[in-house]
Amino acid sequence: MAQRRWSFWMSPLEHRSLRLLDDWHRALLAPMGRVLLWSALAAGFLLLPGFVPLLLFCFAFTLAALACGLVLGIAFWPKVTLSRRLPPPASAGEIMSYPVLVENLGRRVARQIAVEERALPPELRPVGEAPVIERLAPGESAQVTLRVTCTRRGAFELKALQGASLFPAGLFKIPRKTRARERVIVYPRFERLERFEVPLGRNYQPGGLPIASKVGESCEFFGTREWREGDLPRDIHWISFARTGRLIVREFQEEYFVRLALVLDVEARSRQDEERLEKALSVAAAIADVLARQEYIVDIFAAGPQVFRFQAGRAIAHFENILEILACLEPGDRLDMEALEAALLPEAPRLSAVVLLMMDWDEARANLIRQLKDHGVAVRVLCLNPKRRPTGLDPEELVELA
Amino acid sequence: VTASPKLSGAVRIAQALPALAALNLHGLTQGRYLMAVPAALALIAGLARGWAPVFTENRVIVVAAAGALVGVGLGFAIPVPVGPMPELLQSALCGVLVPLSVYAALAGRRVYAWLFCWLLAILSMRADATPLATVSLVALCLATLFAAALAQGERLQLGRAALLGFAVLLPTIVAGTWAVERGVDASQGTLINLVGGTLDALGTRLKAEFELPKQLYLGSSGTVPDSKRALFELDGAIPSHLRGVVLDRFDGRQWTTSPELEQQVLDLGSLTAPSKTRETTALFYASLGERLPSPAGVRRVAGTTVKVRGGWVLGAADLRGLTVTFKADEARQLPPESSPGVMLIALPPELKGSLRPIAERIVKDAATPRAKAEAIERYLQDNFTYSLRADLTGREHPLVVMLKERRPAYCSYFASAMAALLRALDVPARLVGGFVSEEPNPITKKSVIRARDAHAWVEVWLEEEGRYVAFDPTPAASRDQALGVQRGVGNAIWEAIGAAFSAFFAAFRRAPGEVMQRLLLSPYLWGLIAALILWRAVARTRLARRVKQRAALEGADLALREVYASYLRLLRRRAQIAPAPTDTDDAILERIGRARGAAAKDAAARFVQSYREARYRRAPWRPESFASSLEDLARALAQA
């Protein structure tokens, strides 16, 4: 996932250095340890103008407690291994729960083992406090459930799992880390749409065999005829050629089925644009969900500075694959309209309809719609910029969000 | 085992104990029972009834705002003791923290609750260390440790191991607290200079200038800050006193410098050069305002431009990092001055009436001003005790209370008392503010002057000599005791290191280029670098040897190593075969065959084979398969 655009309002944890500090601070200090650390700093600061006996006592106690907690914590360093079992991907805004198996490989009883993820990306936030296993005998295993809130879509990496004993002081955590790197995909947040009306027309799909799956709509042998210039050599019917001495080719029944394009404009120049893009991706996921339940082929065009094209539906790719693609799309600084036209317009004759999710509305975009309509393709346009309303479209071509 | 937000009642109470202790401490030290007691009662009631309000940002803002309002209101009614920030701000902050601690504790947000209550406790610490306050603070510390060590999970950890751990933890932390307190106290000046110097180097102005007071107010009570912050060091002939300010006007409550003295400009060059002089060098770590503390009888000053005011007081700006040399008359006598006016015997009539009988009783039959001054000086030194806190509340003037009831006080009161007593006898006297020097460090032979060495004494006009003569009535022995002045070898070493740091920071700030140049040309630095390089080279050679020895084991999976260790343990216990580090697996198998027969050897070989597969070919393995192999081996060894 690309680094997010800087904003005054962004969460402090989105800054790499602060996140690193926060990670160390939380990973090495138990809740009371963190409190005592901040208290020691506050007391030390207030001691600078001059010593006050009670304040000095506070400072000394907090420092001494932290130092003793550290020394005693080292003595009870647990020897554990940890492994996680990740669940199916969650959507943004959901809580992902997964079990973690903890095994004590040491010769001593491990006490008060707090299990948590380390170096989580800012988009994944732990829910509540780390679960604690109170006692784990040598060789014994236990399972805890970790819960993580997925705040944004994307592909993230869980870098390390940590098991640390809080025993005996409950101030320091001397961690045992397992570098079990695993990839987590968080789908865009989406609400299920009951239906999404698109004009359905079946178009001729040359070369449909590789992309279609069901018998009946795929190529069926129809008959043979004389060779004509331009025919493919692979279609030569060699048996007839041997029998007649003339080039005979096979004829197939061509296939016709519904093929739709979903064009995603990923141009985002500001933080607000990025928020709108997230919304667009949620809408795209919901539309893709409706379409994927039908027997349609869906072409997804992600258009920014470059244009990426994916094909899904029928047997090609499942809805999960579409969501994975949507999860990993990154915003771009500009929309390269020429590249989009070069990718989309040649496909227009084979497309039944095009659904366009536009981040903005301008003449170049309007021109693209016109060209698509000239090819006889039905269009449905959703503009996510509330300040711009698409013009030159029929009311049924304009999609409004409820 | 899963994390559960449902905590037992005992855990909730244990986790709320620090908040209760902090509220008690706040009420006790700040006298704010009107806020602390209802808050504590609300917390207890909430815990008893099982209230668990939802913790939301909006509610936090509302609770904090309400608390701030109440805090400010209470601030007007019950002023807080002198704190590190403006009174009203401290009242408001304490007001915010009290209800927030309760709210967070009831809502089960223990980290917030603990943090709020500890901040509340720290803000309440600017108070006298009365036994009750100390006990309350200790209770807070105990509650904190109890909550941290025994209330981490869903229920209280009251098992044998947990209690044993707590029993070990407690005395360790007590000893640690004592050690840290002593260490910080002993190194206070160095630490503050180090932090201040570092922050200064970063461009902040946290460490303010130290300035001698331009006036001295005599209240019914007062405290002198015991700050060990180092200000400057003296080298050469170290004088006992360094003059910084002369206060000649006294209105009964306050000493100030008269405009005549303030505006008078003198010239050191006009003085005749003495036959014998003493040279003193001062290196200033900090700026001291416009004052240049100097020994009495200074004739020449080198290293800075000085202004000489009335009373032979020297002034210079921006002293930090400067080295100033004083050449003074060997006898350290002040130069002659014109005869003082009536202002130097002025005293409010009531005060004069109260002090004269006391003064006459002290001086008895002393005839000359010098004899009278010496008698009063001796009387105050011998019959009074020095204290950092002076409590002279009573129906009469504080000086009269002090003299009549022989209450302990500090230098300002002793000097004021002596000057007032002399004035009551019509002997002209004035107060002098400055620094008193400590004994030179036995290692560096230098004396470090700290903020706590700020001092006040008396200068008496002796008509027969035509000049002022200094007298110091403060009981020196009990002063050293009260200030905790330490004179051990360890302390001397520590002070020498601290002084070196302070001198370095001061010089660096004044002329960073010069200091860096000196540092780079220092043979000590290059010697240290050479030693470090040598040490690294030796360490690397040793490390490389160790890495080679361990390379075979380092790459192995931790669990796999444990499996192999179990195999070796089994051989040692069941077959008394203890392989040497140089024995190969095949050699061990041969030994097993010879000692326990072919069956045992085959079982061991099967284990070794599967271990090698997992270890070197990265074949997938399961702990159960190894466990069964080892069981087979154990059985074979037992049957042999």
Short mmCIF file of all heavy atoms in Angstrom, two decimals, chain A residues 358-378:
data_model
loop_
_atom_site.label_atom_id
_atom_site.label_comp_id
_atom_site.label_asym_id
_atom_site.label_seq_id
_atom_site.Cartn_x
_atom_site.Cartn_y
_atom_site.Cartn_z
N MET A 358 -16.61 8.26 -11.93
CA MET A 358 -15.73 9.38 -12.23
C MET A 358 -15.46 10.21 -10.97
O MET A 358 -16.38 10.54 -10.23
CB MET A 358 -16.38 10.28 -13.29
CG MET A 358 -16.43 9.62 -14.64
SD MET A 358 -14.76 9.30 -15.22
CE MET A 358 -15.02 8.56 -16.79
N MET A 359 -14.19 10.58 -10.79
CA MET A 359 -13.82 11.40 -9.64
C MET A 359 -14.16 12.87 -9.89
O MET A 359 -14.22 13.67 -8.98
CB MET A 359 -12.32 11.28 -9.36
CG MET A 359 -11.90 9.90 -8.90
SD MET A 359 -12.60 9.48 -7.32
CE MET A 359 -11.68 10.58 -6.27
N ASP A 360 -14.29 13.22 -11.15
CA ASP A 360 -14.55 14.62 -11.48
C ASP A 360 -15.31 14.63 -12.81
O ASP A 360 -15.53 13.57 -13.40
CB ASP A 360 -13.20 15.36 -11.60
CG ASP A 360 -13.37 16.85 -11.36
OD1 ASP A 360 -14.53 17.31 -11.38
OD2 ASP A 360 -12.35 17.54 -11.15
N TRP A 361 -15.69 15.79 -13.25
CA TRP A 361 -16.37 15.89 -14.54
C TRP A 361 -15.77 17.05 -15.33
O TRP A 361 -15.69 18.17 -14.83
CB TRP A 361 -17.87 16.10 -14.33
CG TRP A 361 -18.61 16.00 -15.63
CD1 TRP A 361 -19.13 17.02 -16.36
CD2 TRP A 361 -18.87 14.81 -16.36
NE1 TRP A 361 -19.71 16.55 -17.50
CE2 TRP A 361 -19.56 15.18 -17.53
CE3 TRP A 361 -18.58 13.46 -16.17
CZ2 TRP A 361 -19.97 14.27 -18.48
CZ3 TRP A 361 -19.00 12.55 -17.12
CH2 TRP A 361 -19.69 12.95 -18.26
N ASP A 362 -15.29 16.75 -16.54
CA ASP A 362 -14.74 17.80 -17.39
C ASP A 362 -14.99 17.44 -18.84
O ASP A 362 -15.63 16.43 -19.14
CB ASP A 362 -13.24 18.01 -17.11
CG ASP A 362 -12.45 16.72 -17.23
OD1 ASP A 362 -12.99 15.74 -17.78
OD2 ASP A 362 -11.29 16.67 -16.78
N GLU A 363 -14.50 18.22 -19.74
CA GLU A 363 -14.79 18.04 -21.15
C GLU A 363 -14.19 16.73 -21.67
O GLU A 363 -14.83 16.02 -22.46
CB GLU A 363 -14.21 19.23 -21.94
CG GLU A 363 -14.56 19.25 -23.43
CD GLU A 363 -16.04 19.00 -23.71
OE1 GLU A 363 -16.89 19.52 -22.95
OE2 GLU A 363 -16.35 18.27 -24.68
N ALA A 364 -12.98 16.38 -21.20
CA ALA A 364 -12.34 15.14 -21.67
C ALA A 364 -13.16 13.92 -21.28
O ALA A 364 -13.35 13.00 -22.09
CB ALA A 364 -10.94 15.05 -21.05
N ARG A 365 -13.69 13.96 -20.09
CA ARG A 365 -14.51 12.83 -19.64
C ARG A 365 -15.82 12.77 -20.42
O ARG A 365 -16.30 11.70 -20.81
CB ARG A 365 -14.77 12.94 -18.14
CG ARG A 365 -13.51 12.65 -17.30
CD ARG A 365 -13.80 12.89 -15.83
NE ARG A 365 -12.73 12.40 -14.96
CZ ARG A 365 -11.71 13.14 -14.52
NH1 ARG A 365 -11.57 14.39 -14.91
NH2 ARG A 365 -10.80 12.63 -13.72
N ALA A 366 -16.40 13.97 -20.63
CA ALA A 366 -17.66 14.02 -21.39
C ALA A 366 -17.44 13.50 -22.81
O ALA A 366 -18.28 12.78 -23.37
CB ALA A 366 -18.17 15.46 -21.41
N ASN A 367 -16.28 13.81 -23.36
CA ASN A 367 -15.96 13.37 -24.71
C ASN A 367 -15.85 11.84 -24.78
O ASN A 367 -16.30 11.22 -25.74
CB ASN A 367 -14.65 14.03 -25.14
CG ASN A 367 -14.35 13.77 -26.60
OD1 ASN A 367 -15.26 13.83 -27.43
ND2 ASN A 367 -13.10 13.47 -26.91
N LEU A 368 -15.26 11.26 -23.76
CA LEU A 368 -15.15 9.79 -23.71
C LEU A 368 -16.53 9.15 -23.72
O LEU A 368 -16.79 8.17 -24.44
CB LEU A 368 -14.37 9.37 -22.45
CG LEU A 368 -14.32 7.88 -22.20
CD1 LEU A 368 -13.39 7.19 -23.20
CD2 LEU A 368 -13.86 7.56 -20.79
N ILE A 369 -17.43 9.73 -22.93
CA ILE A 369 -18.79 9.19 -22.86
C ILE A 369 -19.44 9.29 -24.24
O ILE A 369 -20.10 8.34 -24.70
CB ILE A 369 -19.63 9.98 -21.82
CG1 ILE A 369 -18.92 10.03 -20.46
CG2 ILE A 369 -21.05 9.39 -21.69
CD1 ILE A 369 -18.89 8.79 -19.68
N ARG A 370 -19.23 10.40 -24.88
CA ARG A 370 -19.83 10.59 -26.21
C ARG A 370 -19.32 9.52 -27.18
O ARG A 370 -20.08 8.92 -27.93
CB ARG A 370 -19.49 11.99 -26.74
CG ARG A 370 -20.50 13.06 -26.30
CD ARG A 370 -20.36 14.32 -27.15
NE ARG A 370 -19.08 14.97 -27.01
CZ ARG A 370 -18.77 15.84 -26.03
NH1 ARG A 370 -19.69 16.16 -25.14
NH2 ARG A 370 -17.58 16.38 -25.97
N GLN A 371 -18.03 9.29 -27.15
CA GLN A 371 -17.45 8.29 -28.06
C GLN A 371 -18.00 6.91 -27.78
O GLN A 371 -18.28 6.14 -28.70
CB GLN A 371 -15.92 8.27 -27.91
CG GLN A 371 -15.25 9.51 -28.45
CD GLN A 371 -13.75 9.38 -28.42
OE1 GLN A 371 -13.19 8.55 -29.12
NE2 GLN A 371 -13.10 10.20 -27.59
N LEU A 372 -18.17 6.59 -26.51
CA LEU A 372 -18.73 5.28 -26.16
C LEU A 372 -20.16 5.15 -26.69
O LEU A 372 -20.55 4.12 -27.25
CB LEU A 372 -18.72 5.09 -24.64
CG LEU A 372 -17.37 4.77 -24.01
CD1 LEU A 372 -17.45 4.83 -22.50
CD2 LEU A 372 -16.89 3.38 -24.45
N LYS A 373 -20.91 6.24 -26.52
CA LYS A 373 -22.30 6.21 -26.99
C LYS A 373 -22.35 6.11 -28.51
O LYS A 373 -23.26 5.48 -29.07
CB LYS A 373 -23.04 7.45 -26.50
CG LYS A 373 -23.37 7.36 -25.00
CD LYS A 373 -23.81 8.67 -24.41
CE LYS A 373 -25.21 9.01 -24.75
NZ LYS A 373 -25.66 10.24 -24.00
N ASP A 374 -21.37 6.74 -29.17
CA ASP A 374 -21.30 6.63 -30.64
C ASP A 374 -21.10 5.19 -31.08
O ASP A 374 -21.51 4.79 -32.16
CB ASP A 374 -20.16 7.49 -31.18
CG ASP A 374 -20.48 8.98 -31.06
OD1 ASP A 374 -21.66 9.29 -30.80
OD2 ASP A 374 -19.55 9.81 -31.17
N HIS A 375 -20.41 4.42 -30.24
CA HIS A 375 -20.22 2.99 -30.56
C HIS A 375 -21.45 2.17 -30.21
O HIS A 375 -21.43 0.96 -30.33
CB HIS A 375 -19.03 2.44 -29.78
CG HIS A 375 -17.71 2.75 -30.40
ND1 HIS A 375 -17.00 3.89 -30.15
CD2 HIS A 375 -16.96 2.07 -31.32
CE1 HIS A 375 -15.87 3.90 -30.82
NE2 HIS A 375 -15.84 2.81 -31.57
N GLY A 376 -22.47 2.83 -29.71
CA GLY A 376 -23.69 2.13 -29.36
C GLY A 376 -23.62 1.44 -28.02
O GLY A 376 -24.37 0.49 -27.75
N VAL A 377 -22.73 1.86 -27.20
CA VAL A 377 -22.60 1.23 -25.88
C VAL A 377 -23.45 2.02 -24.88
O VAL A 377 -23.40 3.25 -24.85
CB VAL A 377 -21.13 1.24 -25.40
CG1 VAL A 377 -20.98 0.57 -24.07
CG2 VAL A 377 -20.25 0.59 -26.43
N ALA A 378 -24.19 1.29 -24.09
CA ALA A 378 -24.96 1.96 -23.04
C ALA A 378 -24.02 2.39 -21.93
O ALA A 378 -23.06 1.68 -21.60
CB ALA A 378 -26.02 1.01 -22.48
#
